Amino acid sequence: MVLITIPVVPLTADAYKPYGQVIRAYENDSNKPEDIKVTPANGGTAQKFHKLSFLESSYPPTAGATTGISVYRCQPLENIQDGVTTLTTLERHSYTSQSFIPMGTSSDGDLSIRSNGFLVVVALNGPDDRPDLETLRAFLASTAQGVSYNCGVWRTFNSPP
């Protein structure tokens, strides 16, 4: 087993771009990425943040598979000691993008607090069709952010020890 220690950095659209898209609404136009289009919607009672993520599918025609949206109820990491956790598994979806969007709120209602967020660990696919560990990155997403993984991007989840 290879042990690699990587820093956890705040999730931003620019830093995450090689792996996918950040899904979020921005508080104002000055703190959104330049390529995000925002227009009024619903008679001026809402703002639309256009095309933050794309559903992507490249299943072969004979696969008999479809792309859809599912909901998971995830458990928080439990094996954190001194700010460190061990992640043991990387997986990917070769033929579809995959998105994770928090559907709850923090206990005090402040969705910008990163300590109430989730860990996003990703790696690009290497030339040997395995994770390229040189591209392994860890991001801390706030509860106001979601992520979409591009097709073939490796991601981790914390499996039981």
Side-chain angles (χ1 to χ4, degrees):
M1 175 170 35
V2 177
L3 291 177
I4 299 172
T5 301
I6 56 174
V8 176
V9 299
L11 179 67
T12 66
D14 286 340
Y16 190 72
K17 192 172 237 164
Y19 308 98
Q21 301 83 44
V22 174
I23 302 169
R24 68 167 293 167
Y26 294 87
E27 292 79 22
N28 57 59
D29 287 351
S30 66
N31 68 351
K32 70 169 185 59
E34 288 183 18
D35 59 343
I36 301 294
K37 179 181 176 184
V38 181
T39 59
N42 298 342
T45 63
Q47 285 183 300
K48 179 179 179 181
F49 297 84
H50 293 259
K51 299 183 180 178
L52 298 177
S53 175
F54 299 94
L55 290 177
E56 186 179 0
S57 173
S58 60
Y59 284 115
T62 58
T66 59
T67 301
I69 296 175
S70 303
V71 174
Y72 291 77
R73 183 175 299 133
C74 300
Q75 300 299 315
L77 294 175
E78 293 182 359
N79 63 345
I80 298 175
Q81 295 176 351
D82 298 324
V84 174
T85 188
T86 301
L87 303 172
T88 58
T89 307
L90 287 170
E91 70 169 15
R92 69 180 172 147
H93 295 270
S94 298
Y95 300 111
T96 60
S97 57
Q98 187 176 32
S99 298
F100 284 79
I101 304 168
M103 297 178 78
T105 62
S106 67
S107 60
D108 63 3
D110 184 350
L111 294 180
S112 65
I113 299 173
R114 290 187 188 278
S115 63
N116 292 329
F118 60 99
L119 187 62
V120 178
V121 179
V122 289
L124 298 176
N125 196 41
D128 58 355
D129 207 31
R130 298 178 56 83
D132 177 354
L133 297 182
E134 294 292 319
T135 67
L136 188 65
R137 300 290 181 271
F139 300 96
L140 185 59
S142 77
T143 55
Q145 295 173 304
V147 295
S148 183
Y149 304 102
N150 289 340
C151 285
V153 167
W154 293 87
R155 68 168 183 89
T156 190
F157 60 90
N158 201 29
S159 60

